Short mmCIF file of all heavy atoms in Angstrom, two decimals:
data_model
loop_
_atom_site.label_atom_id
_atom_site.label_comp_id
_atom_site.label_asym_id
_atom_site.label_seq_id
_atom_site.Cartn_x
_atom_site.Cartn_y
_atom_site.Cartn_z
N TYR F 223 -8.16 18.13 55.65
CA TYR F 223 -7.39 18.02 56.96
C TYR F 223 -7.15 19.27 57.64
O TYR F 223 -7.33 19.21 58.84
CB TYR F 223 -6.03 17.27 56.59
CG TYR F 223 -6.31 16.00 55.74
CD1 TYR F 223 -5.86 15.88 54.42
CD2 TYR F 223 -6.80 14.77 56.41
CE1 TYR F 223 -6.11 14.71 53.70
CE2 TYR F 223 -7.01 13.70 55.68
CZ TYR F 223 -6.66 13.56 54.36
OH TYR F 223 -6.97 12.48 53.64
N ALA F 224 -6.89 20.23 56.83
CA ALA F 224 -6.63 21.56 57.47
C ALA F 224 -7.83 22.13 58.13
O ALA F 224 -7.81 22.66 59.19
CB ALA F 224 -5.99 22.62 56.35
N ALA F 225 -8.92 22.09 57.38
CA ALA F 225 -10.25 22.56 57.94
C ALA F 225 -10.53 21.80 59.29
O ALA F 225 -11.26 22.49 60.03
CB ALA F 225 -11.29 22.47 56.84
N ASN F 226 -10.28 20.53 59.19
CA ASN F 226 -10.77 19.76 60.40
C ASN F 226 -9.82 20.01 61.70
O ASN F 226 -10.18 19.41 62.72
CB ASN F 226 -10.83 18.28 60.16
CG ASN F 226 -12.10 18.14 59.28
OD1 ASN F 226 -12.95 18.69 59.11
ND2 ASN F 226 -11.87 16.91 58.40
N LEU F 227 -8.72 20.64 61.54
CA LEU F 227 -7.86 20.90 62.73
C LEU F 227 -8.40 22.24 63.40
O LEU F 227 -8.09 23.27 63.12
CB LEU F 227 -6.50 21.33 62.10
CG LEU F 227 -5.40 20.28 61.89
CD1 LEU F 227 -4.15 20.94 61.41
CD2 LEU F 227 -5.18 19.62 63.20
N THR F 228 -9.28 21.90 64.27
CA THR F 228 -10.06 22.99 64.87
C THR F 228 -9.46 23.66 66.12
O THR F 228 -9.77 24.75 66.59
CB THR F 228 -11.47 22.58 65.12
OG1 THR F 228 -11.42 21.36 65.94
CG2 THR F 228 -12.33 22.47 63.97
N LYS F 229 -8.43 22.99 66.59
CA LYS F 229 -7.71 23.55 67.90
C LYS F 229 -7.03 24.86 67.59
O LYS F 229 -6.69 25.15 66.40
CB LYS F 229 -6.79 22.53 68.59
CG LYS F 229 -5.79 22.08 67.47
CD LYS F 229 -5.03 21.01 68.22
CE LYS F 229 -3.94 20.53 67.24
NZ LYS F 229 -2.67 20.58 67.68
N PRO F 230 -6.90 25.78 68.49
CA PRO F 230 -6.37 27.13 68.30
C PRO F 230 -4.91 27.23 67.83
O PRO F 230 -4.58 28.14 67.07
CB PRO F 230 -6.55 27.83 69.64
CG PRO F 230 -6.68 26.74 70.56
CD PRO F 230 -7.23 25.50 69.87
N ASP F 231 -4.07 26.28 68.22
CA ASP F 231 -2.58 26.50 67.84
C ASP F 231 -2.08 25.55 66.83
O ASP F 231 -1.04 25.04 66.81
CB ASP F 231 -1.73 26.26 69.14
CG ASP F 231 -2.09 25.00 69.79
OD1 ASP F 231 -3.10 24.38 69.33
OD2 ASP F 231 -1.29 24.51 70.75
N ALA F 232 -3.00 25.26 65.81
CA ALA F 232 -2.54 24.22 64.90
C ALA F 232 -1.47 24.72 63.95
O ALA F 232 -1.39 25.89 63.58
CB ALA F 232 -3.80 23.83 64.00
N ASN F 252 -8.51 27.55 57.12
CA ASN F 252 -8.26 27.46 58.64
C ASN F 252 -7.39 28.82 58.89
O ASN F 252 -6.18 28.76 58.95
CB ASN F 252 -7.59 26.22 58.89
CG ASN F 252 -7.37 26.09 60.56
OD1 ASN F 252 -7.40 27.10 61.20
ND2 ASN F 252 -7.14 24.89 60.97
N GLY F 254 -6.76 30.16 61.60
CA GLY F 254 -5.93 30.26 62.70
C GLY F 254 -4.65 29.35 62.55
O GLY F 254 -3.76 29.39 63.36
#
Side-chain angles (χ1 to χ4, degrees):
Y223 304 106
N226 289 336
L227 270 180
T228 44
K229 57 187 180 126
D231 57 347
N252 183 340

